[in-house]
Amino acid sequence: MKISKKENYDVVVVGSGAAGQAAALTAVENGNSVLMLEKGRHTGGSANYSEGLFAVGSYLQKEKGINVSTLDVLKEEVEYSSYKADSRIWRNYLDTSAENIKWLHDEGVEYEGVQAMGAGEATWHIYKGYGDGAMHNGLEPRFKKLGGELLTSTSAINLEIDYDGNKKVTIKNEANGDIETITAKVVILATGGYLNNDEMMAKETNYDLSRLITVSCGKGTGDGLRLGWHVGGQKYGMGTAMLFGGYLKDPGQPSFKMMRSQMNVAAGQQPLLWVNENGERFVDESVVYNFSYAGNALYSQNKVYSILDKKIIDEMAEKGNFMGLGVYIERGHKMDKLQEEIDQAISENKPFIFKADTLEELAEKMNLPRDKFVQNIEKFNEDVKSGEDKSFGKDPKYLRTVEDGPFYGFKLTVGAYCTMGGLRITPDNEIEDEKGQPIKGVYATGNDASGLTGDTYGPNMPGTCAGYAFYSGRNAAQHAQKYLK
């Protein structure tokens, strides 16, 4: 039994996340025969969990009187990346970002509004129903209505280019193992990077995987990168994951469920007090306002524990937290379930949490050097009372003593959403070979493409990764149309 309806297509899109859906819909709107492949049973990929996307100059920003300079964003992003990001790619992305917001709206995507994250600019356009709503109430129904073909539980396992430039795509039915080869004039790779491939992560990055917890769809295993490299695409820009600071690892439930936990936000996302395996502070904890920097800071130590006392827990319950986690738990949200969640975790003996009536007892439970831990907490408390963080210069508005028991320690892992890069591309999203020449008709988009970041994702302009996925999918399909003609 055949897997696909046809043997020949104008465009084959590998992956059905934000980049894949945008590419497939744009290509079918241009009048092409389009096949979109999804190796899992469900479409949308990690975009289902995204909250919003980046743009400057959108109609939503204009309605609110929000003015963000395109040139300022360009300069900030390339400087933040130490000029490892491609200024040409950023320039094109910025110039079309407002139009992408409008295009998505016209395709059925609805928005809650536009806002900032952490200390960043108000560039984050939040869609109703999160990414899941954008994918399944907007783009995918439109793609199917216009005659696009979607195959789920179907992976692309090989890619070849013949002498005439035709792309031979070998696809596999993941349910029964059937394999067949189809032909396409254009292939667009949109498989979401390699975060969920432990072998690639160990080889291509410097992260300690035992301390990394992945919050994604679980299907980012580098499929698109392998296909692109196989046809001669240049490996480039590997090694960067989008980190989002401290996160609690609960082996008893899927990692994404912690996103809505007040305890997780209180332990991992607040500018309060962290100590390392030696019981020492090691950074100004308000680094959490740039979650990628926070992830880097946590990785600079072998182990990290967040320390809270009863007083600060009560303060966050009554007055609200200092820092939220995306729009799952917003900044200033009153943590009315925090103590209840903590008590439940203690009663269930969760491996990430420790409770004690004294600091000495807490140190012993966390297996930290007791005297050094207590001395460091006492020194920190003295700084708090003096109104000056003499060690790291933290803003006094975030200084709180740790002296009212019971005390709680939380072992932090580092959360990660996705990897960035892998295939070098032109500004048209066409992949380049080892000599820097485009491989005609093969495109890389979203997290399969390089050029957006350096070694650290930049959250001061929130939504850039999701926005780039939509933009790059559209950009690839638009330039593919020129190639097809």
Side-chain angles (χ1 to χ4, degrees):
M1 182 176 177
K2 284 185 60 59
I3 301 174
S4 59
K5 293 179 180 178
K6 301 168 60 176
E7 294 181 357
N8 301 288
Y9 294 87
D10 294 323
V11 179
V12 170
V13 178
V14 186
S16 72
Q21 296 267 9
L25 178 53
T26 301
V28 80
E29 286 179 335
N30 286 336
N32 298 300
S33 58
V34 181
L35 172 64
M36 179 163 54
L37 302 172
E38 169 53 55
K39 73 175 180 181
R41 291 178 295 167
H42 305 290
T43 57
S46 294
N48 287 333
Y49 309 114
S50 69
E51 300 130 291
L53 70 156
F54 164 90
V56 292
S58 73
Y59 72 92
L60 289 169
Q61 288 167 313
K62 290 177 180 177
E63 288 172 0
K64 282 196 166 187
I66 297 169
N67 296 305
V68 181
S69 164
T70 298
L71 278 176
D72 286 348
V73 174
L74 176 64
K75 290 179 180 179
E76 179 173 332
E77 289 295 330
V78 295
E79 288 175 2
Y80 183 97
S81 77
S82 300
Y83 282 81
K84 293 178 181 177
D86 191 317
S87 297
R88 302 168 303 162
I89 290 171
W90 264 102
R91 178 79 250 185
N92 293 346
Y93 174 24
L94 288 164
D95 287 345
T96 58
S97 62
E99 196 273 326
N100 286 326
I101 295 292
K102 180 65 165 56
W103 177 78
L104 286 166
H105 178 265
D106 293 344
E107 301 293 358
V109 175
E110 297 183 66
Y111 299 100
E112 295 279 359
V114 59
Q115 66 181 62
M117 177 192 287
E121 297 282 358
T123 61
W124 203 21
H125 296 68
I126 309 300
Y127 14 63
K128 288 183 179 179
Y130 301 115
D132 181 74
M135 298 291 104
H136 300 113
N137 298 330
L139 303 191
E140 189 174 312
R142 175 76 171 156
F143 172 72
K144 292 177 179 177
K145 183 178 180 180
L146 294 178
E149 182 181 348
L150 169 64
L151 291 177
T152 56
S153 297
T154 306
S155 58
I157 61 174
N158 193 42
L159 176 62
E160 305 284 349
I161 304 175
D162 67 19
Y163 289 108
D164 295 321
N166 294 309
K167 286 75 186 174
K168 305 293 184 180
V169 186
T170 303
I171 61 177
K172 177 183 178 182
N173 184 319
E174 293 291 337
N176 60 24
D178 287 352
I179 292 174
E180 70 182 35
T181 298
I182 56 176
T183 300
K185 297 174 183 174
V186 165
V187 170
I188 299 176
L189 303 173
T191 63
Y194 58 99
L195 182 68
N196 307 113
N197 186 320
D198 287 348
E199 183 179 347
M200 288 183 72
M201 287 292 292
K203 179 181 178 182
E204 303 291 351
T205 77
N206 293 319
Y207 299 117
D208 177 355
L209 301 188
S210 69
R211 297 182 57 207
L212 191 75
I213 187 163
T214 59
V215 182
S216 68
C217 68
K219 294 180 286 189
T221 53
D223 302 354
L225 302 184
R226 287 191 294 268
L227 295 175
W229 294 334
H230 182 69
V231 295
Q234 183 183 154
K235 180 188 287 189
Y236 185 77
M238 300 288 285
T240 299
M242 186 202 296
L243 308 179
F244 60 95
Y247 204 77
L248 301 179
K249 184 175 183 178
D250 183 353
Q253 65 179 359
S255 56
F256 66 84
K257 287 194 173 182
M258 274 289 187
M259 297 289 286
R260 298 182 184 275
S261 163
Q262 292 185 6
M263 175 178 59
N264 181 62
V265 170
Q269 304 296 318
Q270 304 309 309
L272 295 169
L273 177 61
W274 295 340
V275 298
N276 64 12
E277 67 277 9
N278 297 315
E280 302 168 322
R281 283 184 73 213
F282 56 92
V283 74
D284 170 1
E285 295 89 351
S286 65
V287 68
V288 295
Y289 284 93
N290 179 314
F291 55 70
S292 290
Y293 280 167
N296 289 347
L298 291 165
Y299 265 117
S300 73
Q301 310 299 304
N302 291 307
K303 293 180 182 178
V304 176
Y305 299 87
S306 173
I307 310 299
L308 303 178
D309 70 354
K310 178 61 176 172
K311 180 178 75 289
I312 193 62
I313 290 171
D314 290 343
E315 179 181 336
M316 287 192 286
E318 295 169 9
K319 298 181 180 179
N321 62 45
F322 298 84
M323 180 67 182
L325 182 57
V327 297
Y328 290 98
I329 296 181
E330 295 185 350
R331 186 193 305 184
H333 181 85
K334 291 185 178 181
M335 310 292 267
D336 53 347
K337 296 182 176 62
L338 176 55
Q339 189 65 61
E340 177 185 338
E341 290 182 9
I342 288 174
D343 292 343
Q344 182 175 349
I346 292 289
S347 69
E348 294 176 356
N349 294 314
K350 295 295 185 182
F352 55 75
I353 188 169
F354 307 87
K355 177 184 178 182
D357 292 325
T358 67
L359 290 171
E360 289 83 357
E361 182 187 1
L362 184 65
E364 290 174 358
K365 287 188 174 182
M366 294 188 297
N367 197 29
L368 301 181
R370 184 184 63 181
D371 292 344
K372 184 177 287 188
F373 174 73
V374 173
Q375 289 169 8
N376 280 302
I377 297 297
E378 289 175 348
K379 180 183 182 303
F380 176 71
N381 287 338
E382 290 173 3
D383 284 359
V384 174
K385 291 172 183 177
S386 74
E388 180 185 2
D389 177 9
K390 297 182 178 67
S391 296
F392 301 107
K394 184 160 64 177
D395 191 317
K397 67 184 177 182
Y398 302 128
L399 294 174
R400 299 292 187 278
T401 58
V402 179
E403 54 187 1
D404 295 342
F407 303 96
Y408 300 91
F410 301 85
K411 185 176 182 179
L412 298 183
T413 57
V414 181
Y417 288 126
C418 60
T419 54
M420 318 290 291
L423 285 163
R424 190 163 201 156
I425 58 165
T426 71
D428 298 343
N429 281 92
E430 206 163 27
I431 69 173
E432 294 183 354
D433 64 18
E434 293 293 340
K435 296 181 179 180
Q437 297 303 306
I439 299 175
K440 297 296 183 181
V442 183
Y443 300 81
T445 62
N447 294 330
D448 288 342
S450 63
L452 191 68
T453 64
D455 59 12
T456 300
Y457 177 76
N460 282 348
M461 303 294 170
T464 53
C465 184
Y468 179 72
F470 287 113
Y471 157 74
S472 60
R474 290 193 72 207
N475 189 53
Q478 288 164 343
H479 286 284
Q481 189 65 14
K482 299 175 184 178
Y483 169 78
L484 289 167
K485 288 182 177 181

